Amino acid sequence: RPKLSGPKLLCQIKDTVEVTTLTADLQPFSLLPWAAQLPPKQLTSDLGPYKSCAVVSSAGSLRYSGLGREIDTHDAVLRFNAAPTTGYEKDVGSKTTIRLINSQVMASDDHRFLSSSLYSSGALVAWDPAPFSADLTQWYNRTDYPIFTQYQRYRRLHPMQPFYILHPRFEWQVWQRIQDNMAEPIQKNPPSSGLLGTVLMMSLCEVVHVYEFLPSRRKTELCHYYQRFFDAACTLGAYHPLLYEKNLVKRMNQGSDRDIYTHGRITLPGFSKMNC
Ligand code: NCC
């Protein structure tokens, strides 16, 4: 397979990936008593467009980066899972516009998803590793973690906070882009939240800056900037095809290699600013 150039790759993503969220009118949800808890409209028609956006990975290399001020200058900031800002403002900033969470975070007791104030700023977007090519009904009956029961509980407790669930088609469309651009077969597990959040922001923003997804000179085995836990697999991947994701993002980067080295910063155009 010929290796696509960065701009071609960007256009391929724009043309084949659709950021879709679940709405109340979709089957099987429309037939369920709690359907009205789902948003009436798509995330992309409710949020944005934003000019400049930041995607803040949770990598340990953000620690002592001093990037907080720069991150907060963006019009919208996306963060992941249980990544905090309190106490880490200097390095990661304090603004949260969107928080992308996996279903494991929603379900596990240690994250106190229903009660912790960590999740209360900005809009929430949840996703669950749905089985490859399964339809919505199959997935609904066999989610990886109980995303739907937790969603209903959260909505009852925080009815005013915008809260979307990604259509599983989206994660596999992104997965397909990775596979089609790699010479070898990659694992049939969905991409990490990092790449899903990056593509999500490309659909909402004119320009997207991703921080420490491609590690800077601060590269470390510290897994997260907010935890004393060391594991190189956090940066290199195990379950998720993370190394392939990073390879792809490196090819799409429109910023300089120096930006990566000093700031761990990648610059990507939003879909609306691409000439395809
Ligand atoms: O670790 P996690 O990811 O929450 O990190 C969010 C995103 O940041 C990028 N990252 C993180 C650490 C690191 N050293 N380098 C990085 O590049 C990745 O792109 C990552 O996606 C996830 O993707 O949802 C993930 O979630 C965790 C975990 O479920 C949550 O943190 C909640 O505890 C997964 N860890 C485990 O299952 C043990 C992780 O595999 C993926």
Side-chain angles (χ1 to χ4, degrees):
R1 252 184 310 244
K3 219 168 152 180
L4 290 186
S5 67
K8 287 244 168 69
L9 197 48
L10 285 161
C11 284
Q12 200 188 54
I13 294 181
K14 179 185 171 174
D15 292 342
T16 59
V17 178
E18 206 185 343
V19 180
T20 316
T21 51
L22 303 182
T23 45
D25 57 310
L26 262 184
Q27 277 212 46
F29 306 100
S30 55
L31 309 167
L32 301 169
W34 60 272
Q37 286 188 328
L38 287 170
K41 286 199 288 175
Q42 288 290 318
L43 172 149
T44 47
S45 50
D46 289 340
L47 301 181
Y50 306 109
K51 274 199 153 65
S52 169
C53 296
V55 172
V56 186
S57 92
S58 304
S61 46
L62 272 161
R63 199 78 207 266
Y64 310 120
S65 69
L67 287 168
R69 197 189 303 253
E70 171 174 330
I71 289 170
D72 275 346
T73 62
H74 294 285
D75 302 309
V77 179
L78 180 134
R79 302 182 190 277
F80 299 102
N81 296 321
T85 53
T86 309
Y88 302 93
E89 292 89 348
K90 267 191 139 182
D91 295 330
V92 302
S94 57
K95 184 191 284 190
T96 305
T97 316
I98 301 177
R99 184 174 289 274
L100 180 60
I101 55 178
N102 68 41
S103 52
Q104 186 184 24
V105 172
M106 297 171 74
S108 94
D109 291 335
D110 14 304
H111 288 107
R112 299 190 306 116
F113 173 63
L114 296 174
S115 57
S116 168
S117 63
L118 182 62
Y119 306 98
S120 59
S121 32
L124 289 174
V125 183
W127 72 280
D128 176 70
F132 191 70
S133 79
D135 66 27
L136 285 180
T137 304
Q138 268 179 316
W139 172 52
Y140 183 72
N141 291 322
R142 208 170 56 86
T143 58
D144 219 25
Y145 289 91
I147 181 171
F148 294 113
T149 46
Q150 288 299 87
Y151 180 81
Q152 291 165 62
R153 288 190 183 130
Y154 192 94
R155 293 285 289 147
R156 248 176 273 134
L157 294 166
H158 314 269
M160 301 312 284
Q161 189 179 4
F163 194 168
Y164 303 86
I165 299 176
L166 285 171
H167 194 302
R169 197 199 302 134
F170 168 69
E171 60 202 71
W172 292 110
Q173 285 173 339
V174 177
W175 182 90
Q176 198 64 55
R177 287 306 103 237
I178 310 169
Q179 179 59 92
D180 285 357
N181 284 286
M182 296 300 151
E184 59 224 82
I186 66 167
Q187 60 265 55
K188 266 199 170 174
N189 297 326
S192 75
S193 297
L195 186 63
L196 296 178
T198 300
V199 177
L200 189 158
M201 287 312 249
M202 286 167 78
S203 77
L204 298 178
C205 313
E206 290 184 8
V207 58
V208 179
H209 293 95
V210 190
Y211 292 93
E212 295 287 1
F213 185 62
L214 297 196
S216 67
R217 62 183 169 197
R218 289 176 298 276
K219 182 175 175 178
T220 165
E221 291 200 351
L222 179 66
C223 180
H224 296 129
Y225 66 82
Y226 53 89
Q227 260 175 348
R228 218 166 299 144
F229 170 68
F230 294 83
D231 185 355
C234 295
T235 304
L236 304 175
Y239 170 79
H240 299 291
L242 191 59
L243 217 47
Y244 299 103
E245 299 172 25
K246 295 189 181 201
N247 195 306
L248 208 69
V249 167
K250 175 82 173 56
R251 268 158 69 189
M252 297 188 295
N253 181 30
Q254 298 193 329
S256 66
D257 285 349
R258 185 82 202 159
D259 276 359
I260 302 176
Y261 186 67
T262 58
H263 289 70
R265 183 176 61 213
I266 291 291
T267 306
L268 300 169
F271 291 161
S272 67
K273 289 289 157 190
M274 291 179 196
N275 298 315
C276 296

